[in-house]
Amino acid sequence: MNSQAIADSLRQLHLNIVKKTEETDGVSFRLDHWTRAEGGGGTTAVLQNGNIIEKGGIAFSHVHGFMPNKVADGLKIPQQQFHATGVSLIQHPHNPFVPIIHMNVRYFEMEDGTWWFGGGIDLTPHYPELETVKMFHTEIKAICDQFHPNFYTEFKPWADDYFFIEHRKEMRGVGGIFFDRLNAQHGLSKEQLFEFCLAIGNYFADVYPRLMLANYQRPFNEINKNWQLIRRGRYVEFNLVYDKGTQFGLQTDGRVESILMSLPTYASWVYDHHPEQGSAEHKALAFFQKGNDWVNR
Amino acid sequence: MNSQAIADSLRQLHLNIVKKTEETDGVSFRLDHWTRAEGGGGTTAVLQNGNIIEKGGIAFSHVHGFMPNKVADGLKIPQQQFHATGVSLIQHPHNPFVPIIHMNVRYFEMEDGTWWFGGGIDLTPHYPELETVKMFHTEIKAICDQFHPNFYTEFKPWADDYFFIEHRKEMRGVGGIFFDRLNAQHGLSKEQLFEFCLAIGNYFADVYPRLMLANYQRPFNEINKNWQLIRRGRYVEFNLVYDKGTQFGLQTDGRVESILMSLPTYASWVYDHHPEQGSAEHKALAFFQKGNDWVNR
């Protein structure tokens, strides 16, 4: 299975995800195709002011050529020919009771034969409900278990650590899974690992429409909206300060609009904001801590 | 002149600036005093939802003790006793025709006798007018010229480079001055350099009330408000991705609320936003480029 076959398959995944999200929202994504002078390109699908989604971005890219210096430095490897392909998405809904979601699967391959997969999916509800969080983690675990008994056990705490806003000492949401440099070390073939990535991608297209439809009509008040904007502010902090994909993109002169499509239409920062003890917002904070065993709660 | 005398004087500058801004806005700042376990502390003054200011922060700090490892690494010096004191402020007004402003002066001293001053002031209008930009730069140059004929010539391009959003290839505003590690290299005494810093601090208290009063009652429409929110989004990008003070604060476990008081109450990101040719917003973009000789325009 070569990088072109993987890229072709991810391009199809991208189209499927766009289609499924459009069907649920009712408004179409705008598709921007771009090319990279040094080789390759991509398609950025963006939905602004949909019925359910306020701002959503679903990106496919397949870039190749001789590795930029900064990439080689970042990966601590010699400069050489490379292929990188992936699908990455973030959805920011209007209604504060619909969670933000992020999903990413990616493949990297080098001239010297090295290759790996990376990716993850994580949920950022502003009013987390145990039932939903448990459902999300249980379903992800079921997918992981189909491929390797250790995947969920390894990738769930990895997400706890990765989607963590260090300076706030809190996660951006309730996590999910995160993995990187996944290759033969688990005894699975490249084909099997790719199937795992596709299963994660397809899981987004299954779970998020359910979460959208279940919550987008829920009534909300000004407190709920302000809390959503503040939590989106934390999301912005994570993406701009910690997210490796964003940093990599900005440092390597990637297409800025594709990289920063992850930022919400509106976000807010309130000085020294602390939800009242016992409020729904205060209860939410307990969900944003590491190490919760959601599957067995 | 020792660090305590400088800190005492900066504490007074802080109070003066808070008082002058309150007099202009009509609403009082909330003052939060904090202490640092390892030595020192500060006062963070924040105004939220004032008459003119939507969110403003004016911070004083004087911290000392044994230098944290990360600080020594960052400065590329051996760990030792240190003092750091400064005043730093950002004001985000309600009205899109009142510019955002930032000012910072700081002093750093080490056990081995090394010391320096740093700081700057820069203006971020969303609808820049040549007259105002020229006035701002001309007045800053006049202050610089009182101290050293090269200060403005050196510190103005330094601000162009510093307050630059590299991934956007644009400055966050129309600049001003920026300087760092300023010590005996210019032939001025420590006292003279400190007087220069105080003059910059006092200039804020002079110029910003003028800019507030001249513009806060100007009528604005939805296009103006959206443009302000988008430009504030760029300000957030600068502060979280590039600002050295913010990065330093977050990496050294500083008081998060004091560090991030610089972020606006509301900000916005619109995918692939380009103002229409000939619009006021489009004209503004030309002001956000480096190398404009505002004084002689």
Side-chain angles (χ1 to χ4, degrees):
Chain A
M1 185 162 220
N2 66 20
S3 58
Q4 191 58 52
I6 291 172
D8 289 345
S9 187
L10 288 178
R11 187 188 295 274
Q12 193 55 51
L13 174 70
H14 178 252
L15 289 177
N16 292 347
I17 287 175
V18 169
K19 187 160 163 280
K20 190 70 189 290
T21 311
E22 282 178 346
E23 280 169 11
T24 313
D25 187 89
V27 174
S28 293
F29 279 74
R30 156 182 165 183
L31 265 65
D32 284 342
H33 304 283
W34 53 272
T35 53
R36 179 174 170 272
E38 301 81 4
T43 301
T44 301
V46 174
L47 175 56
Q48 290 190 112
N49 208 16
N51 291 312
I52 304 176
I53 301 297
E54 183 166 280
K55 187 173 175 189
I58 310 177
F60 163 77
S61 65
H62 177 204
V63 299
H64 51 82
F66 195 66
M67 192 180 292
N69 216 334
K70 279 186 188 168
V71 177
D73 282 359
L75 296 169
K76 290 167 188 163
I77 48 173
Q79 271 187 292
Q80 56 190 293
Q81 297 288 325
F82 80 106
H83 279 263
T85 182
V87 171
S88 178
L89 66 86
I90 283 184
Q91 308 295 329
H92 291 286
H94 290 288
N95 190 304
F97 292 102
V98 183
I100 304 171
I101 197 165
H102 155 261
M103 192 283 298
N104 168 235
V105 288
R106 57 188 182 273
Y107 173 73
F108 188 81
E109 181 187 291
M110 289 188 297
E111 194 180 349
D112 69 7
T114 315
W115 58 265
W116 64 70
F117 291 98
I121 183 166
D122 79 302
L123 199 66
T124 303
H126 310 308
Y127 291 96
E129 287 154 355
L130 181 57
E131 199 183 350
T132 308
V133 179
K134 189 182 166 86
M135 177 275 289
F136 181 71
H137 274 272
T138 303
E139 291 179 353
I140 292 174
K141 181 174 183 301
I143 295 169
C144 289
D145 289 350
Q146 288 170 29
F147 292 88
H148 197 288
N150 294 349
F151 272 8
Y152 183 79
T153 317
E154 289 177 24
F155 302 162
K156 192 272 183 188
W158 202 342
D160 282 11
D161 288 338
Y162 184 79
F163 298 110
F164 190 72
I165 306 166
E166 185 63 41
H167 60 268
R168 299 281 187 181
K169 309 290 179 215
E170 66 187 28
M171 294 170 66
R172 68 181 186 184
V174 299
I177 54 167
F178 182 87
F179 55 95
D180 202 8
R181 301 215 181 191
L182 188 62
N183 56 26
Q185 79 263 44
H186 282 86
L188 299 187
S189 67
K190 188 192 275 188
E191 285 71 17
Q192 286 170 312
L193 292 174
F194 184 48
E195 285 302 318
F196 169 64
C197 289
L198 288 178
I200 295 300
N202 286 319
Y203 177 62
F204 160 79
D206 165 40
V207 70
Y208 200 58
R210 282 189 272 141
L211 293 172
M212 288 162 84
L213 294 174
N215 297 294
Y216 84 102
Q217 287 181 311
R218 287 172 68 177
F220 60 87
N221 60 27
E222 209 183 316
I223 295 174
N224 305 140
K225 192 69 196 175
N226 285 338
W227 178 241
Q228 178 192 45
L229 295 180
I230 290 169
R231 296 306 308 174
R232 282 183 185 167
R234 304 291 168 97
Y235 211 88
V236 170
E237 289 177 29
F238 176 82
N239 279 25
L240 294 180
V241 179
Y242 299 106
D243 186 62
K244 287 187 181 18
T246 304
Q247 287 177 347
F248 179 86
L250 296 181
Q251 286 164 8
T252 53
D253 283 329
R255 183 176 179 264
V256 173
E257 291 300 334
S258 298
I259 300 161
L260 298 184
M261 72 176 187
S262 61
L263 303 180
T265 310
Y266 298 107
S268 177
W269 284 268
V270 174
Y271 175 72
D272 209 22
H273 182 272
H274 299 286
E276 241 178 272
Q277 284 280 345
S279 66
E281 293 74 25
H282 190 264
K283 281 174 191 155
L285 292 176
F287 280 81
F288 306 146
Q289 292 304 312
K290 289 184 188 185
N292 277 301
D293 177 4
W294 297 118
V295 171
N296 296 305
R297 274 283 280 275
Chain B
M1 185 163 220
N2 64 20
S3 58
Q4 191 58 53
I6 290 171
D8 289 345
S9 186
L10 288 178
R11 187 188 295 275
Q12 193 55 50
L13 174 71
H14 178 252
L15 290 176
N16 292 347
I17 287 175
V18 169
K19 186 159 163 280
K20 190 71 189 289
T21 312
E22 282 177 346
E23 280 170 11
T24 312
D25 187 89
V27 173
S28 294
F29 278 74
R30 156 183 165 182
L31 265 66
D32 284 341
H33 304 284
W34 52 273
T35 53
R36 178 175 170 272
E38 301 81 5
T43 301
T44 302
V46 175
L47 175 57
Q48 289 189 113
N49 209 15
N51 290 314
I52 304 175
I53 301 296
E54 182 166 278
K55 187 172 173 188
I58 309 176
F60 162 78
S61 65
H62 177 204
V63 299
H64 50 82
F66 195 67
M67 192 179 292
N69 216 334
K70 279 185 188 170
V71 178
D73 282 359
L75 295 169
K76 289 167 189 164
I77 49 173
Q79 270 187 293
Q80 54 190 294
Q81 296 288 325
F82 80 105
H83 280 262
T85 181
V87 171
S88 178
L89 67 86
I90 283 184
Q91 308 294 330
H92 291 285
H94 290 289
N95 190 305
F97 292 103
V98 182
I100 304 171
I101 197 164
H102 156 261
M103 192 283 298
N104 167 234
V105 288
R106 57 187 182 275
Y107 173 73
F108 188 81
E109 181 187 291
M110 289 187 296
E111 195 180 349
D112 69 8
T114 315
W115 57 265
W116 65 71
F117 291 98
I121 183 167
D122 80 301
L123 199 66
T124 302
H126 310 308
Y127 291 97
E129 287 153 355
L130 181 58
E131 197 185 351
T132 308
V133 179
K134 190 180 164 90
M135 177 275 289
F136 181 71
H137 274 274
T138 304
E139 291 179 354
I140 292 174
K141 181 175 184 299
I143 295 169
C144 288
D145 289 350
Q146 288 170 29
F147 292 88
H148 197 287
N150 294 349
F151 273 6
Y152 183 79
T153 316
E154 289 178 23
F155 303 162
K156 191 271 183 190
W158 203 340
D160 281 11
D161 289 337
Y162 184 79
F163 299 110
F164 191 72
I165 307 167
E166 185 64 40
H167 60 268
R168 299 282 188 181
K169 309 289 178 217
E170 66 186 30
M171 295 170 64
R172 68 181 186 185
V174 299
I177 54 167
F178 182 87
F179 55 95
D180 202 9
R181 302 215 181 191
L182 188 61
N183 56 26
Q185 79 264 46
H186 282 88
L188 299 186
S189 68
K190 189 192 276 190
E191 285 70 18
Q192 287 171 311
L193 293 175
F194 184 49
E195 283 303 317
F196 170 64
C197 289
L198 288 178
I200 295 300
N202 286 320
Y203 176 62
F204 160 79
D206 166 40
V207 70
Y208 201 59
R210 281 189 273 142
L211 293 172
M212 288 161 83
L213 294 173
N215 297 295
Y216 84 102
Q217 288 181 310
R218 287 172 68 177
F220 60 88
N221 59 27
E222 209 183 316
I223 294 174
N224 305 141
K225 191 69 196 174
N226 285 339
W227 178 242
Q228 178 191 46
L229 295 181
I230 289 169
R231 296 307 306 174
R232 282 183 185 168
R234 305 291 168 96
Y235 211 87
V236 170
E237 289 177 30
F238 176 81
N239 279 25
L240 293 180
V241 179
Y242 300 105
D243 186 62
K244 287 189 182 16
T246 304
Q247 287 177 349
F248 179 86
L250 295 181
Q251 285 165 8
T252 54
D253 282 329
R255 182 176 180 265
V256 172
E257 291 300 335
S258 298
I259 301 161
L260 297 184
M261 72 176 186
S262 61
L263 304 181
T265 308
Y266 299 107
S268 178
W269 284 268
V270 174
Y271 176 73
D272 208 23
H273 182 272
H274 299 286
E276 240 177 276
Q277 283 279 347
S279 65
E281 293 75 24
H282 190 264
K283 282 176 189 153
L285 292 176
F287 281 82
F288 306 146
Q289 291 305 313
K290 290 183 187 187
N292 277 301
D293 177 5
W294 297 118
V295 170
N296 296 306
R297 274 282 283 271

